[in-house]
Amino acid sequence: EAGVAQSPRYKIIEKRQSVAFWCNPISGHATLYWYQQILGQGPKLLIQFQNNGVVDDSQLPKDRFSAERLKGVDSTLKIQPAKLEDSAVYLCASSLGPDRGRYEQYFGPGTRLTVT
Amino acid sequence: GESVGLHLPTLSVQEGDNSIINCAYSNSASDYFIWYKQESGKGPQFIIDIRSNMDKRQGQRVTVLLNKTVKHLSLQIAATQPGDSAVYFCAENGGGFKTIFGAGTRLFVKA
């Protein structure tokens, strides 16, 4: 079974530039998550989708971050404009979801973003 | 507010010994707990989970214990190996949607 795919793996941009990350979850997983992980910390949930609807985006800085999950499969996370404090690893995860009573999440390798 | 934390930020054990990683949670309504392992440069990997109606669950070389009275969770790794060196996160789920991760404990295994 293929895992969660993410691209790019690494990205370096200057502050005020824009960047987009892509995620392809495990086939059949209804729930998709985007996390921000700052070095030395645990993942922080940015946004969670159930199929193509948002169920939690309370910690997403909506003035600069946006995310979508077209057709309930792939997802993109965008930052515009980036700030220095956005430097982190952005993790995508998926799970079968509460409808199936399964909450364990499967993570992709992450995208390491450096904002200079 | 809700929080999941770890008592020890780092743990160093001798290869072959047993490891115990602890975690405290504060949301008494949480009904599902998960341990993840994160190796350098990789995303977290699911290890084992436990529901609130259980006190103990065993996997391959790992055991999770849940004490709801004191809101404490632990991960026990038997016969720790060098490949177990990683950061371990506990996470809690409060019913359906939101999973909260703790800060993590780094496990060092000495050969």
Side-chain angles (χ1 to χ4, degrees), chain B residues 24-101:
Chain B
Y25 65 95
S26 61
N27 184 1
S28 58
S30 291
D31 59 1
Y32 178 68
F33 304 87
I34 314 161
W35 281 100
Y36 290 91
K37 171 186 180 183
Q38 187 173 26
E39 297 175 279
S40 181
K42 298 182 179 179
Q45 176 186 8
F46 170 82
I47 301 173
I48 192 168
D49 59 359
I50 188 168
R51 296 192 180 275
S52 59
N53 60 353
M54 303 173 68
D55 297 323
K56 178 180 179 178
R57 190 169 187 212
Q58 288 184 296
Q60 187 176 15
R61 284 201 307 117
V62 295
T63 300
V64 56
L65 298 177
L66 176 63
N67 185 330
K68 295 180 287 293
T69 302
V70 295
K71 299 178 189 172
H72 184 267
L73 193 68
S74 68
L75 177 70
Q76 300 179 1
I77 304 174
T80 312
Q81 302 169 359
D84 295 326
S85 293
V87 176
Y88 290 80
F89 295 98
C90 66
E92 63 177 313
N93 182 288
F97 291 115
K98 192 163 187 175
T99 300
I100 300 173
F101 282 77

Side-chain angles (χ1 to χ4, degrees), chain A:
Chain A
E1 176 182 81
V4 176
Q6 288 188 249
S7 67
R9 291 296 313 277
Y10 305 91
K11 190 72 177 180
I12 301 174
I13 61 173
E14 296 181 350
K15 59 184 179 183
R16 293 187 289 273
Q17 286 186 326
S18 301
V19 64
F21 311 128
W22 173 82
C23 174
N24 184 20
I26 293 173
S27 177
H29 280 196
T31 310
L32 185 147
Y33 314 77
W34 282 104
Y35 289 90
Q36 180 192 60
Q37 187 174 28
I38 294 173
L39 185 64
Q41 299 181 15
K44 183 184 84 171
L45 180 69
L46 292 175
I47 189 167
Q48 180 175 340
F49 293 93
Q50 180 71 11
N51 297 307
N52 60 355
V54 175
V55 297
D56 187 346
D57 64 356
S58 58
Q59 298 191 93
L60 186 74
K62 298 180 186 63
D63 58 334
R64 299 185 299 107
F65 287 64
S66 64
E68 59 182 5
R69 190 183 185 193
L70 299 175
K71 301 180 181 179
V73 182
D74 292 7
S75 178
T76 57
L77 175 70
K78 297 180 181 178
I79 307 175
Q80 179 181 8
K83 294 184 176 181
L84 295 176
E85 59 261 36
D86 297 333
S87 293
V89 175
Y90 290 84
L91 294 163
C92 179
S94 68
S95 69
L96 283 169
D99 291 348
R100 304 279 290 273
R102 297 289 297 273
Y103 305 109
E104 69 270 24
Q105 298 176 30
Y106 296 86
F107 285 80
T111 297
R112 181 175 296 278
L113 174 67
T114 302
V115 182
T116 62

